[in-house]
Every structure is written in structure tokens, then in C-alpha cells.
Amino acid sequence: MKMPTTVTVCVKTLCSNWPLVAIRWTAITISHQRLLQASVRNILLRYGIQSGTLAIDDTGKKRTKRTSKIDGAHKIKDKSTGGYFNGQELVFMVLVTEVATFPVGFRFYIPDPELSAWRKKDKALRKQGIQKKERPNRPEPDHVRYPTMQSLTLVMLQEFVDSFPNITIKAILADALYGTGDFMDKAAEITGGAQVVSQLRSNQKVSNRNHSEATLKAYFSRQKGAETQLIIRGGKEEQVTMLAARLYVKAHGKRRFVIALKYEGEEDYRYLVASDMSWRHTDIARIYTLRWLVEVFIQDWKAHCGWNRLSKQQGADGSQRGVILSLLCEHMLLLHPEQFVLLKNKQAGMPAGCLIERLNAEALLATVKSVVESEDPDTELKALALALEHTLPKRESSRHMAGRDLGEQKATDSLKAHARKFKLLDAA
């Protein structure tokens, strides 16, 4: 049965002549999506945030090989190993400000199954040496039912602009997947001309007034890069080699600001592309270092904010609710009194894991205090011990062999004679 998109909460409606009139229960529906927006608005107001940079990235959550009840599970490429796993894939949008960094939107991504099946078959046929004209044609993608990651991100950008019109977006940061002309133009238009910074591939064609068309790698190999110091995420400086030029990018059909950037110890350049050519190339390279913060958020979120537990609800709506509830946990940590004081006074905040440890310690101390100060401490202590016994998980260890069948693990009488026989034959 498909779950509704809202949760029903029962509240007491008290009449003026209470207690003579019975209590009437009223159902109120709360949209989880609006709850997330309300939480974002609360953080913006509490910290007085008026501007920021949006960083975008995608991540996968590994599931079991058979996931009939978890929505949107599909084959995902494992970036760490180069292999594949079955799981769910999400696109996140994080707001990076001068005070705090926190998530403001997400979408589940599901690839077009017909297109995926065609790619798999086409790859197998190409390995067999079958020519293109003899292979099946590429099916028309269904972008309505299965939107691309770029389309999902543009929808999130539009929702953020509509929901928070007073927030100035300085820049939008994304990896090479979003380095297309269509995405960069639409993202800049939606956000009122914000700088959009992404990456280009080294084999993409560019041209300049005095040079013919060439790949990015070939173009920037004609001159030696300038060594300089780049400030990384407003902190330490690193030695980098940079080149920059305003080039006509063939795939985009227009001129872009392209920066060739190489960190110390690297052999190959990475190529940044920016939509607004009025920025200095050092400022573009500097702000792009903030994109790494969305990866930090994803790591913290998976490890500490309930992702592994709450995201296992069934169906599309269940998955949405699970993610939103875990994001609300992430927002709650920003409002912790100690964290709030640190960030408001422009001091380094505490990571999510550290805050959760402190919350656990505070809860334990409050519980012990209530037991000690109660009228019957012995009874309260027994009740606490019983509650802990029922709450703490009991997991089976695969290291110990108790209760398992390990076989005989000894010589059998019937085979001893055979062993002696073979030993005599080998001696002869």
C-alpha cells in the first residue's frame, strides 16, 4: 500500500466549556517537504544569514542485491572501487555561508531503465565487433518520468529561490557532470545571474581569436603556468599552478572563463569553467574550493544523522520521509546551544559526531540526576536498568563458533586404512 505524502497528527481541540464537553480529536496533515523548508528558514533567521553559495553533489547508498520494497534502487557505479553496487542515488544541495554550512534540498535520482538496458546491450554488441548501423538505435529518454540530475538540480534551485527570495546566491558550484552549457545558463538565469562554476573535460574543443580550434589540454600546453598561492576554503594556502583565458567553448556555443588548475604534486591540469567572465580567475578558483564542503556534509550525514536507520522506510514517500527526518537532525545540531554560540562568535564549530557524543553524555547525566534525586532511587534505578536492557541491541557475532556445525575435524576409521595403503605405495 502506498504511503501518503503527509503524516497525520492527532491533537486535542478543547472547547470553551471544558471539562463538561468531551474532547474532539482533529487530524492535521503536515507536509514533510514544508517541514524541511521551515527548518531551513529557522536557521537562516537564527543566524541572520542573507547570502551564500550553493554546492551540489550526488551520492549513492548501498543496499542489498534484492530490494523489492525500497524505492528507486538501481545499479550505481562505485567511485571508490570502480565497480558497481545496487542502491539508491541522491542529489544534494548545500548552502555554504560565512557562518554555517547545511543542506537545503535533495532529490532521489532514478535512471531511465530502457536507456540503461540499451546501454548495456550496446556495450556488449560493440565488444562483439558489430557495426553501429547494425546495432539497435538509442531509445528516446523519458525525461518526464526519469529526469536527469541536471534537471533535478534546476528544480531545487527554482524552489530555493521561490522559497527564500531575500537570500542572495553568490555562486553555484558543481562537478563536471553539470559542466554543460544548458545547465550553466539556466542555473544563472534562475538565480538572477549568480556565478556558476563547474569543470570541463580535457578533450573538449575551445578556440580563441588568434588560434584555431583545439582541445583544452592542447591549448593550455602551449604556455607555462604561473605558480601562485591559493587560499583553500578561507584557511590554509596551497601552492598551485594556474592558467586562465576567456575562450569560446564549442559544446556551449559561447565564450566562457576557463581556468587550468594544478595542485602541487599533480601532473595534469583540471579545467574549471565559469559563466560570469567579470570575476578574477583567482576568485573563481578560490570559491570553487568550497565545493568540497558538500562532500564533507554527505560523510557526516551518513555516519551520524540517522541515514542508515531512517532511510529504510518502504516506497517513494517512505524514502523521502526518512531522508527529511535525518536532515532535520542535521539542522538540529546547528541549533545546539554550544554550537550556536561558537558559530555566532565566528569560531570554529564542532563536527556532527562530536555534538552527538555530547548530547548522549548530557542525556545520560540528566537520567542519572533524575534517579538520584527521586524519592525512591532503588526503584528508579531498577526501572532504568530494565529500560536499558530492552533498548540496547543484541547482535550475533560471526567470530565465535558457538552453536555452529563445524564437522568432525578428525580422521575416520574407514579412511585410515586407505591412508596407510597410499603411504606404502608411495614408499615402494
Side-chain angles (χ1 to χ4, degrees):
M1 181 178 179
K2 187 176 181 180
M3 298 295 292
T5 56
T6 56
V7 63
T8 301
V9 180
C10 293
V11 295
K12 294 179 180 179
T13 303
L14 302 180
C15 299
S16 57
N17 54 350
W18 164 269
L20 298 178
V21 180
I23 300 172
R24 183 170 72 253
W25 295 90
T26 305
I28 300 178
T29 57
I30 300 176
S31 168
H32 282 81
Q33 195 64 39
R34 291 187 178 181
L35 191 62
L36 179 61
Q37 290 183 354
S39 181
V40 172
R41 183 172 287 105
N42 182 37
I43 293 174
L44 295 174
L45 292 174
R46 290 288 299 274
Y47 281 96
I49 296 171
Q50 298 180 349
S51 64
T53 296
L54 292 171
I56 299 151
D57 198 10
D58 58 277
T59 184
K61 169 60 183 174
K62 187 180 292 185
R63 298 299 187 189
T64 57
K65 293 184 178 179
R66 296 182 179 179
T67 50
S68 59
K69 296 183 180 180
I70 296 179
D71 183 72
H74 61 276
K75 189 177 180 181
I76 303 172
K77 186 173 179 63
D78 193 338
K79 298 177 182 178
S80 60
T81 64
Y84 293 88
F85 62 85
N86 183 60
Q88 292 173 297
E89 202 164 7
L90 300 99
V91 184
F92 278 103
M93 190 167 70
V94 172
L95 182 65
V96 182
T97 72
E98 296 178 353
V99 181
T101 299
F102 53 96
V104 295
F106 77 97
R107 285 293 186 280
F108 277 95
Y109 167 73
I110 304 175
D112 189 332
E114 291 188 8
L115 199 58
S116 299
W118 172 82
R119 287 197 185 101
K120 183 177 180 181
K121 186 176 181 179
D122 188 70
K123 183 178 180 181
L125 293 175
R126 279 191 281 111
K127 284 185 177 181
Q128 297 174 14
I130 299 176
Q131 297 182 359
K132 183 177 181 180
K133 62 181 180 180
E134 297 177 359
R135 300 197 303 265
N137 294 327
R138 182 177 183 268
E140 195 68 25
D142 186 356
H143 291 318
V144 177
R145 296 175 59 192
Y146 305 101
T148 63
M149 287 188 180
Q150 295 92 331
S151 299
L152 293 173
T153 302
L154 291 174
V155 172
M156 285 193 290
L157 287 172
Q158 188 65 64
E159 286 184 356
F160 184 84
V161 170
D162 294 341
S163 301
F164 309 102
N166 296 327
I167 302 299
T168 302
I169 301 174
K170 296 180 180 179
I172 300 166
L173 313 176
D175 60 18
L177 179 66
Y178 302 86
T180 64
D182 182 66
F183 174 82
M184 295 183 69
D185 290 340
K186 289 181 178 178
E189 181 182 356
I190 290 172
T191 54
Q195 175 70 282
V196 183
V197 188
S198 184
Q199 294 189 47
L200 296 176
R201 301 186 309 275
S202 61
N203 61 350
Q204 288 192 249
K205 298 292 183 67
V206 295
S207 60
N208 204 350
R209 294 178 182 177
N210 303 325
H211 297 90
S212 59
E213 188 177 280
T215 64
L216 277 170
K217 185 174 183 179
Y219 180 86
F220 284 106
S221 65
R222 297 168 180 168
Q223 48 189 318
K224 186 179 179 180
E227 294 186 358
T228 183
Q229 295 289 325
L230 179 65
I231 299 176
I232 308 297
R233 291 177 287 279
K236 64 178 182 178
E237 294 185 355
E238 287 193 18
Q239 184 78 15
V240 298
T241 305
M242 273 199 294
L243 288 167
R246 294 170 176 83
L247 302 174
Y248 180 85
V249 181
K250 183 178 180 181
H252 292 201
K254 61 173 56 179
R255 194 172 291 271
R256 301 287 195 192
F257 205 154
V258 183
I259 302 166
L261 176 65
K262 180 169 59 176
Y263 287 88
E264 190 174 14
E266 294 181 342
E267 296 182 359
D268 299 324
Y269 284 107
R270 65 190 70 189
Y271 302 97
L272 309 183
V273 57
S275 60
D276 189 345
M277 295 186 290
S278 64
W279 284 37
R280 296 182 302 176
H281 70 281
T282 52
D283 292 332
I284 295 172
R286 184 173 176 177
I287 199 170
Y288 193 71
T289 63
L290 300 179
R291 201 198 71 81
W292 179 76
L293 296 175
V294 66
E295 298 180 11
V296 176
F297 152 71
I298 290 173
Q299 292 175 0
D300 283 348
W301 175 68
K302 285 184 176 181
H304 303 292
C305 294
W307 162 251
N308 289 319
R309 297 186 299 274
L310 297 178
S311 61
K312 291 183 180 179
Q313 298 183 38
Q314 298 178 10
D317 296 329
S319 294
Q320 292 277 343
R321 287 195 301 272
V323 174
I324 290 175
L325 289 174
S326 62
L327 292 181
L328 293 177
C329 173
E330 172 75 22
H331 288 177
M332 178 197 69
L333 296 177
L334 282 176
L335 301 177
H336 186 278
E338 290 186 60
Q339 183 81 313
F340 183 78
V341 170
L342 287 172
L343 296 178
K344 285 289 287 185
N345 287 278
K346 300 188 182 302
Q347 299 180 24
M350 291 181 285
C354 179
L355 278 169
I356 290 176
E357 289 174 0
R358 297 178 79 88
L359 287 171
N360 290 337
E362 291 171 5
L364 178 60
L365 289 174
T367 303
V368 172
K369 183 179 179 181
S370 65
V371 170
V372 172
E373 294 179 350
S374 65
E375 296 180 358
D376 189 356
D378 290 338
T379 303
E380 292 293 331
L381 183 60
K382 290 178 182 179
L384 175 61
L386 185 62
L388 288 174
E389 184 179 346
H390 290 298
T391 303
L392 294 175
K394 182 180 179 181
R395 296 182 291 270
E396 294 183 356
S397 172
S398 59
R399 188 181 68 179
H400 306 296
M401 296 295 104
R404 299 192 181 191
D405 185 4
L406 301 180
E408 292 292 335
Q409 297 185 1
K410 64 180 181 179
T412 62
D413 295 335
S414 61
L415 292 178
K416 285 180 180 179
H418 288 283
R420 287 194 296 267
K421 180 179 177 181
F422 286 124
K423 188 174 183 180
L424 292 173
L425 289 174
D426 291 339

